[in-house]
Short mmCIF file of all heavy atoms in Angstrom, two decimals:
data_model
loop_
_atom_site.label_atom_id
_atom_site.label_comp_id
_atom_site.label_asym_id
_atom_site.label_seq_id
_atom_site.Cartn_x
_atom_site.Cartn_y
_atom_site.Cartn_z
N GLY A 209 -12.28 0.53 8.21
CA GLY A 209 -11.07 0.25 7.50
C GLY A 209 -9.65 0.53 7.96
O GLY A 209 -8.80 -0.30 7.85
N ILE A 210 -9.54 1.75 8.60
CA ILE A 210 -8.46 2.06 9.32
C ILE A 210 -8.10 1.27 10.46
O ILE A 210 -7.02 0.86 10.74
CB ILE A 210 -8.42 3.54 9.72
CG1 ILE A 210 -8.44 4.54 8.39
CG2 ILE A 210 -7.10 3.97 10.64
CD1 ILE A 210 -7.20 4.45 7.68
N GLY A 211 -9.14 0.96 11.17
CA GLY A 211 -8.99 0.01 12.33
C GLY A 211 -8.58 -1.39 11.94
O GLY A 211 -7.74 -2.04 12.47
N MET A 212 -9.08 -1.90 10.84
CA MET A 212 -8.71 -3.21 10.34
C MET A 212 -7.19 -3.16 9.85
O MET A 212 -6.50 -4.12 10.09
CB MET A 212 -9.64 -3.66 9.23
CG MET A 212 -9.57 -5.13 8.75
SD MET A 212 -10.15 -5.97 10.21
CE MET A 212 -9.96 -7.59 9.52
N LEU A 213 -6.71 -1.99 9.26
CA LEU A 213 -5.40 -1.89 8.85
C LEU A 213 -4.43 -2.02 10.07
O LEU A 213 -3.32 -2.72 9.98
CB LEU A 213 -5.24 -0.57 8.02
CG LEU A 213 -3.82 -0.18 7.51
CD1 LEU A 213 -3.50 -1.05 6.43
CD2 LEU A 213 -3.94 1.27 7.20
N SER A 214 -4.81 -1.33 11.04
CA SER A 214 -4.08 -1.36 12.37
C SER A 214 -4.07 -2.70 12.95
O SER A 214 -3.06 -3.14 13.53
CB SER A 214 -4.57 -0.25 13.29
OG SER A 214 -4.54 1.07 12.64
N PHE A 215 -5.25 -3.39 12.87
CA PHE A 215 -5.33 -4.71 13.58
C PHE A 215 -4.40 -5.77 12.95
O PHE A 215 -3.67 -6.45 13.53
CB PHE A 215 -6.75 -5.22 13.54
CG PHE A 215 -7.02 -6.42 14.07
CD1 PHE A 215 -6.87 -6.82 15.23
CD2 PHE A 215 -7.37 -7.48 13.09
CE1 PHE A 215 -7.12 -8.20 15.70
CE2 PHE A 215 -7.51 -8.91 13.47
CZ PHE A 215 -7.48 -9.09 14.84
N VAL A 216 -4.40 -5.56 11.58
CA VAL A 216 -3.68 -6.59 10.75
C VAL A 216 -2.24 -6.31 11.03
O VAL A 216 -1.30 -7.17 11.11
CB VAL A 216 -4.02 -6.51 9.34
CG1 VAL A 216 -2.96 -7.32 8.44
CG2 VAL A 216 -5.39 -7.12 9.05
N GLY A 217 -1.85 -5.04 11.04
CA GLY A 217 -0.43 -4.64 11.38
C GLY A 217 -0.05 -5.07 12.73
O GLY A 217 1.12 -5.48 13.00
N ALA A 218 -0.88 -5.01 13.80
CA ALA A 218 -0.56 -5.55 15.00
C ALA A 218 -0.38 -6.97 15.13
O ALA A 218 0.43 -7.63 15.74
CB ALA A 218 -1.71 -5.16 16.01
N ILE A 219 -1.13 -7.86 14.22
CA ILE A 219 -0.90 -9.21 14.21
C ILE A 219 0.34 -9.50 13.71
O ILE A 219 1.12 -10.41 14.24
CB ILE A 219 -2.05 -9.90 13.36
CG1 ILE A 219 -3.32 -9.84 14.13
CG2 ILE A 219 -1.71 -11.35 13.10
CD1 ILE A 219 -4.65 -10.33 13.14
N GLY A 220 0.77 -8.80 12.68
CA GLY A 220 2.19 -8.92 12.01
C GLY A 220 3.25 -8.59 13.13
O GLY A 220 4.28 -9.23 13.28
N SER A 221 2.93 -7.55 14.00
CA SER A 221 3.96 -7.27 15.06
C SER A 221 4.02 -8.38 16.10
O SER A 221 5.04 -8.49 16.67
CB SER A 221 3.49 -5.99 15.74
OG SER A 221 3.49 -4.97 14.91
N VAL A 222 2.92 -9.14 16.31
CA VAL A 222 3.05 -10.30 17.20
C VAL A 222 3.83 -11.48 16.58
O VAL A 222 4.55 -12.18 17.30
CB VAL A 222 1.69 -10.61 17.77
CG1 VAL A 222 1.67 -11.81 18.56
CG2 VAL A 222 1.07 -9.45 18.53
N ILE A 223 3.46 -11.75 15.45
CA ILE A 223 3.89 -12.81 14.62
C ILE A 223 5.43 -12.68 14.32
O ILE A 223 6.28 -13.67 14.49
CB ILE A 223 3.17 -13.31 13.56
CG1 ILE A 223 1.79 -13.81 13.95
CG2 ILE A 223 3.79 -14.38 12.65
CD1 ILE A 223 0.74 -13.94 12.77
N GLY A 224 5.80 -11.56 13.99
CA GLY A 224 7.11 -11.21 13.50
C GLY A 224 8.28 -11.74 14.50
O GLY A 224 9.24 -12.41 13.91
N PRO A 225 8.21 -11.41 15.75
CA PRO A 225 9.39 -11.87 16.51
C PRO A 225 9.44 -13.47 16.72
O PRO A 225 10.45 -13.92 16.99
CB PRO A 225 9.12 -11.17 17.90
CG PRO A 225 8.12 -9.94 17.54
CD PRO A 225 7.39 -10.45 16.30
N GLN A 226 8.32 -14.12 16.55
CA GLN A 226 8.30 -15.62 16.61
C GLN A 226 9.11 -16.11 15.50
O GLN A 226 9.69 -17.24 15.53
CB GLN A 226 6.89 -16.10 16.67
CG GLN A 226 5.91 -15.43 17.76
CD GLN A 226 6.73 -15.52 19.12
OE1 GLN A 226 7.18 -16.60 19.50
NE2 GLN A 226 6.62 -14.45 19.80
N LEU A 227 9.03 -15.41 14.33
CA LEU A 227 9.74 -15.96 13.12
C LEU A 227 11.15 -15.86 13.13
O LEU A 227 12.09 -16.66 12.58
CB LEU A 227 9.31 -15.17 11.85
CG LEU A 227 7.85 -15.38 11.52
CD1 LEU A 227 7.54 -14.43 10.27
CD2 LEU A 227 7.54 -16.72 11.11
N VAL A 228 11.78 -15.06 14.22
CA VAL A 228 13.16 -15.05 14.39
C VAL A 228 13.75 -16.27 14.90
O VAL A 228 14.86 -16.65 14.53
CB VAL A 228 13.48 -13.88 15.51
CG1 VAL A 228 14.96 -13.87 15.79
CG2 VAL A 228 13.13 -12.52 14.87
N TYR A 229 12.95 -17.02 15.61
CA TYR A 229 13.41 -18.23 16.19
C TYR A 229 13.48 -19.31 14.93
O TYR A 229 14.34 -20.22 14.93
CB TYR A 229 12.54 -18.96 17.12
CG TYR A 229 12.45 -17.94 18.47
CD1 TYR A 229 11.35 -17.38 18.77
CD2 TYR A 229 13.65 -17.72 19.13
CE1 TYR A 229 11.30 -16.57 19.83
CE2 TYR A 229 13.71 -17.00 20.33
CZ TYR A 229 12.51 -16.27 20.72
OH TYR A 229 12.49 -15.53 21.74
N LEU A 230 12.53 -19.28 14.08
CA LEU A 230 12.50 -20.10 12.92
C LEU A 230 13.74 -19.82 11.94
O LEU A 230 14.14 -20.68 11.25
CB LEU A 230 11.21 -19.98 12.14
CG LEU A 230 10.07 -20.59 12.77
CD1 LEU A 230 8.73 -20.34 11.93
CD2 LEU A 230 10.06 -22.12 13.00
N ASN A 231 14.25 -18.59 11.96
CA ASN A 231 15.30 -18.29 11.08
C ASN A 231 16.64 -18.99 11.47
O ASN A 231 17.49 -19.06 10.65
CB ASN A 231 15.52 -16.70 11.16
CG ASN A 231 16.32 -16.22 9.98
OD1 ASN A 231 16.13 -16.64 8.81
ND2 ASN A 231 17.37 -15.28 10.35
N ALA A 232 16.68 -19.32 12.73
CA ALA A 232 17.89 -20.16 13.02
C ALA A 232 17.89 -21.51 12.42
O ALA A 232 18.97 -22.08 12.22
CB ALA A 232 17.92 -20.34 14.77
N TYR A 233 16.65 -22.05 12.10
CA TYR A 233 16.58 -23.35 11.50
C TYR A 233 16.57 -23.25 9.96
O TYR A 233 16.97 -24.17 9.17
CB TYR A 233 15.48 -24.13 11.85
CG TYR A 233 15.41 -24.25 13.40
CD1 TYR A 233 14.45 -23.70 14.20
CD2 TYR A 233 16.19 -25.31 14.01
CE1 TYR A 233 14.44 -23.88 15.64
CE2 TYR A 233 16.14 -25.51 15.41
CZ TYR A 233 15.35 -24.82 16.22
OH TYR A 233 15.41 -25.06 17.55
N VAL A 234 16.09 -22.25 9.45
CA VAL A 234 15.98 -22.01 8.05
C VAL A 234 16.67 -20.71 7.78
O VAL A 234 15.98 -19.61 7.87
CB VAL A 234 14.59 -22.05 7.47
CG1 VAL A 234 14.39 -21.76 5.99
CG2 VAL A 234 13.88 -23.15 7.90
N PRO A 235 18.00 -20.60 7.33
CA PRO A 235 18.64 -19.34 7.10
C PRO A 235 18.02 -18.50 6.01
O PRO A 235 17.62 -19.04 4.97
CB PRO A 235 20.07 -19.75 6.67
CG PRO A 235 20.18 -21.13 7.17
CD PRO A 235 18.82 -21.78 7.15
N GLY A 236 17.73 -17.27 6.18
CA GLY A 236 17.12 -16.34 5.15
C GLY A 236 15.64 -16.43 5.08
O GLY A 236 14.95 -15.77 4.41
N LEU A 237 14.97 -17.14 5.99
CA LEU A 237 13.44 -17.24 6.08
C LEU A 237 12.77 -15.89 6.19
O LEU A 237 11.89 -15.61 5.48
CB LEU A 237 13.07 -18.24 7.17
CG LEU A 237 11.55 -18.31 7.44
CD1 LEU A 237 10.93 -19.01 6.32
CD2 LEU A 237 11.21 -18.80 8.73
N LEU A 238 13.37 -15.15 7.07
CA LEU A 238 12.65 -13.78 7.30
C LEU A 238 12.71 -12.85 6.11
O LEU A 238 11.69 -12.19 5.75
CB LEU A 238 13.22 -13.11 8.44
CG LEU A 238 13.29 -13.57 9.84
CD1 LEU A 238 14.05 -12.80 10.85
CD2 LEU A 238 11.74 -13.60 10.26
N LEU A 239 13.80 -12.83 5.53
CA LEU A 239 13.91 -12.02 4.11
C LEU A 239 13.17 -12.69 2.95
O LEU A 239 12.55 -11.97 2.17
CB LEU A 239 15.38 -11.85 3.80
CG LEU A 239 16.13 -10.99 4.82
CD1 LEU A 239 17.66 -10.87 4.57
CD2 LEU A 239 15.57 -9.56 4.83
N TYR A 240 13.16 -13.94 2.94
CA TYR A 240 12.32 -14.64 1.92
C TYR A 240 10.86 -14.30 2.12
O TYR A 240 10.20 -14.00 1.13
CB TYR A 240 12.40 -16.16 1.99
CG TYR A 240 13.72 -16.56 1.34
CD1 TYR A 240 14.60 -17.61 1.79
CD2 TYR A 240 14.13 -16.29 -0.03
CE1 TYR A 240 15.69 -17.95 1.19
CE2 TYR A 240 15.30 -16.70 -0.59
CZ TYR A 240 16.04 -17.64 0.03
OH TYR A 240 17.20 -18.08 -0.54
N LEU A 241 10.27 -14.36 3.44
CA LEU A 241 8.97 -14.07 3.71
C LEU A 241 8.72 -12.59 3.38
O LEU A 241 7.76 -12.25 2.82
CB LEU A 241 8.78 -14.35 5.22
CG LEU A 241 8.33 -15.70 5.47
CD1 LEU A 241 8.18 -15.83 7.01
CD2 LEU A 241 7.14 -16.15 4.83
N CYS A 242 9.71 -11.75 3.76
CA CYS A 242 9.44 -10.28 3.46
C CYS A 242 9.32 -10.04 1.92
O CYS A 242 8.46 -9.33 1.45
CB CYS A 242 10.58 -9.47 4.11
SG CYS A 242 10.51 -7.75 3.81
N GLY A 243 10.18 -10.59 1.16
CA GLY A 243 10.10 -10.50 -0.26
C GLY A 243 9.07 -11.15 -0.90
O GLY A 243 8.33 -10.51 -1.74
N GLY A 244 8.59 -12.32 -0.45
CA GLY A 244 7.34 -12.98 -0.99
C GLY A 244 6.17 -12.19 -0.72
O GLY A 244 5.25 -12.08 -1.65
N ILE A 245 6.02 -11.94 0.48
CA ILE A 245 4.76 -11.11 0.85
C ILE A 245 4.68 -9.75 0.06
O ILE A 245 3.62 -9.36 -0.27
CB ILE A 245 4.62 -10.88 2.26
CG1 ILE A 245 4.36 -12.17 3.09
CG2 ILE A 245 3.64 -9.94 2.76
CD1 ILE A 245 4.48 -12.11 4.52
N SER A 246 5.86 -9.09 -0.13
CA SER A 246 5.91 -7.81 -0.91
C SER A 246 5.38 -8.11 -2.37
O SER A 246 4.82 -7.26 -2.98
CB SER A 246 7.21 -7.13 -0.85
OG SER A 246 8.15 -7.81 -1.49
N VAL A 247 5.71 -9.23 -2.95
CA VAL A 247 5.25 -9.56 -4.31
C VAL A 247 3.88 -9.61 -4.31
O VAL A 247 3.16 -9.23 -5.16
CB VAL A 247 6.06 -10.82 -4.79
CG1 VAL A 247 5.44 -11.48 -6.08
CG2 VAL A 247 7.54 -10.57 -5.02
N LEU A 248 3.26 -10.42 -3.25
CA LEU A 248 1.81 -10.45 -3.13
C LEU A 248 1.07 -9.18 -3.07
O LEU A 248 0.13 -8.76 -3.52
CB LEU A 248 1.39 -11.38 -2.00
CG LEU A 248 1.74 -12.80 -2.17
CD1 LEU A 248 1.39 -13.63 -0.80
CD2 LEU A 248 1.04 -13.43 -3.32
N CYS A 249 1.84 -8.26 -2.31
CA CYS A 249 1.30 -6.77 -2.10
C CYS A 249 1.24 -6.06 -3.51
O CYS A 249 0.45 -5.27 -3.61
CB CYS A 249 2.04 -6.13 -1.08
SG CYS A 249 1.80 -6.72 0.63
N VAL A 250 2.28 -6.26 -4.24
CA VAL A 250 2.36 -5.68 -5.52
C VAL A 250 1.21 -6.10 -6.47
O VAL A 250 0.44 -5.36 -7.14
CB VAL A 250 3.60 -5.81 -6.27
CG1 VAL A 250 3.65 -5.39 -7.79
CG2 VAL A 250 4.90 -5.14 -5.65
N ILE A 251 0.89 -7.35 -6.39
CA ILE A 251 -0.13 -7.95 -7.27
C ILE A 251 -1.52 -7.37 -6.67
O ILE A 251 -2.38 -7.01 -7.47
CB ILE A 251 -0.09 -9.53 -7.13
CG1 ILE A 251 1.02 -10.00 -7.92
CG2 ILE A 251 -1.34 -10.08 -7.80
CD1 ILE A 251 1.43 -11.48 -7.60
N GLY A 252 -1.62 -7.42 -5.38
CA GLY A 252 -2.91 -6.88 -4.76
C GLY A 252 -3.22 -5.44 -5.07
O GLY A 252 -4.24 -4.93 -5.32
N THR A 253 -2.07 -4.62 -4.94
CA THR A 253 -2.11 -3.23 -5.18
C THR A 253 -2.50 -2.95 -6.63
O THR A 253 -3.12 -2.01 -6.93
CB THR A 253 -0.86 -2.52 -4.87
OG1 THR A 253 -0.54 -2.81 -3.46
CG2 THR A 253 -0.92 -1.01 -5.02
N SER A 254 -2.06 -3.66 -7.55
CA SER A 254 -2.26 -3.51 -9.01
C SER A 254 -3.70 -3.65 -9.36
O SER A 254 -4.23 -3.16 -10.28
CB SER A 254 -1.38 -4.35 -9.85
OG SER A 254 -1.79 -5.76 -9.72
N LEU A 255 -4.56 -4.40 -8.39
CA LEU A 255 -5.92 -4.68 -8.64
C LEU A 255 -6.77 -3.49 -8.18
O LEU A 255 -8.07 -3.39 -8.46
CB LEU A 255 -6.37 -5.96 -8.05
CG LEU A 255 -5.59 -7.25 -8.52
CD1 LEU A 255 -5.95 -8.50 -7.76
CD2 LEU A 255 -5.93 -7.45 -10.05
N LEU A 256 -6.28 -2.62 -7.29
CA LEU A 256 -6.91 -1.50 -6.64
C LEU A 256 -7.14 -0.37 -7.71
O LEU A 256 -6.14 -0.07 -8.54
CB LEU A 256 -6.32 -1.10 -5.40
CG LEU A 256 -6.29 -1.94 -4.30
CD1 LEU A 256 -5.41 -1.47 -3.11
CD2 LEU A 256 -7.71 -2.26 -3.84
N PRO A 257 -8.06 0.49 -7.62
CA PRO A 257 -8.18 1.62 -8.47
C PRO A 257 -7.20 2.78 -7.91
O PRO A 257 -6.89 2.84 -6.82
CB PRO A 257 -9.69 2.07 -8.37
CG PRO A 257 -10.04 1.57 -7.02
CD PRO A 257 -9.22 0.37 -6.75
N GLU A 258 -6.87 3.69 -8.82
CA GLU A 258 -5.93 4.73 -8.49
C GLU A 258 -6.87 5.77 -7.84
O GLU A 258 -8.05 6.01 -8.34
CB GLU A 258 -5.33 5.39 -9.86
CG GLU A 258 -4.51 6.65 -9.48
CD GLU A 258 -3.39 6.37 -8.54
OE1 GLU A 258 -2.56 5.65 -8.80
OE2 GLU A 258 -3.30 7.18 -7.50
N THR A 259 -6.33 6.40 -6.74
CA THR A 259 -7.13 7.39 -6.05
C THR A 259 -6.68 8.81 -5.99
O THR A 259 -7.26 9.72 -5.54
CB THR A 259 -7.30 6.99 -4.53
OG1 THR A 259 -5.89 7.01 -3.94
CG2 THR A 259 -7.98 5.73 -4.37
N LYS A 260 -5.64 9.04 -6.82
CA LYS A 260 -4.99 10.46 -6.94
C LYS A 260 -5.95 11.21 -7.70
O LYS A 260 -6.63 10.87 -8.77
CB LYS A 260 -3.76 10.35 -7.64
CG LYS A 260 -3.02 11.69 -7.83
CD LYS A 260 -1.86 11.53 -8.48
CE LYS A 260 -1.20 12.93 -8.69
NZ LYS A 260 -0.55 13.06 -9.98
#
Side-chain angles (χ1 to χ4, degrees):
I210 294 293
M212 195 64 180
L213 178 72
S214 298
F215 175 71
V216 171
I219 290 174
S221 297
V222 171
I223 293 173
Q226 305 309 315
L227 294 175
V228 173
Y229 297 117
L230 291 176
N231 197 46
Y233 300 108
V234 182
L237 175 70
L238 294 174
L239 292 171
Y240 282 130
L241 278 174
C242 180
I245 290 172
S246 69
V247 169
L248 293 176
C249 291
V250 169
I251 294 168
T253 303
S254 68
L255 300 174
L256 295 173
E258 177 60 60
T259 59
K260 181 182 176 217

